[in-house]
Amino acid sequence: MTVRIWFLVLIAIALGACRQPGAIGPPAPDRVEGVILEIDAESLGEVRSFTLKDGDNVYEIFIADDVEYGFPLGHLQEHLSSNEPVVVDLEEREDDKLYAVTIEDP
């Protein structure tokens, strides 16, 4: 009986080591490819975040103030309208949100 308890404790510790403190759920992927479902924007060029569907997974991805994406972010609206996919490299920051490091056409 005690061996089983120790085994369960070791599994819990190992699983807990896979995530940062306070994080819930599986680790965020480094890269996703999918279609944009929704864009949260102040205006066409001032995108705050967008929702991306990659297979069965849906991610809310935030725009980082410190990243130059190389194109006007209003272009994401074209991907939303056309259902053309995008490829996004991601970074999970201290606020437990996913931020786009790059956004590209596949």
Side-chain angles (χ1 to χ4, degrees):
M1 183 85 156
T2 58
V3 172
R4 185 181 304 170
I5 292 172
W6 275 107
F7 181 72
L8 293 174
V9 169
L10 288 174
I11 289 175
I13 290 170
L15 290 174
C18 294
R19 291 288 284 153
Q20 296 177 357
I24 298 173
D30 293 331
R31 176 174 264 222
V32 293
E33 179 176 344
V35 295
I36 296 174
L37 300 177
E38 184 178 5
I39 297 174
D40 178 24
E42 192 71 28
S43 65
L44 189 60
E46 294 186 37
V47 176
R48 289 186 293 250
S49 67
F50 59 97
T51 305
L52 186 80
K53 183 173 179 14
D54 178 14
D56 292 334
N57 300 310
V58 176
Y59 302 96
E60 182 174 15
I61 301 171
F62 290 85
I63 299 299
D65 292 336
D66 59 342
V67 174
E68 175 57 47
Y69 293 103
F71 64 91
L73 291 174
H75 174 67
L76 294 175
Q77 186 66 41
E78 293 177 34
H79 284 270
L80 175 65
S81 299
S82 68
N83 281 333
E84 289 293 318
V86 294
V87 177
V88 183
D89 288 321
L90 299 171
E91 177 179 278
E92 187 171 10
R93 297 198 175 175
E94 291 178 11
D95 58 2
D96 290 333
K97 293 179 181 176
L98 293 176
Y99 286 85
V101 178
T102 65
I103 304 171
E104 305 169 344
D105 291 335

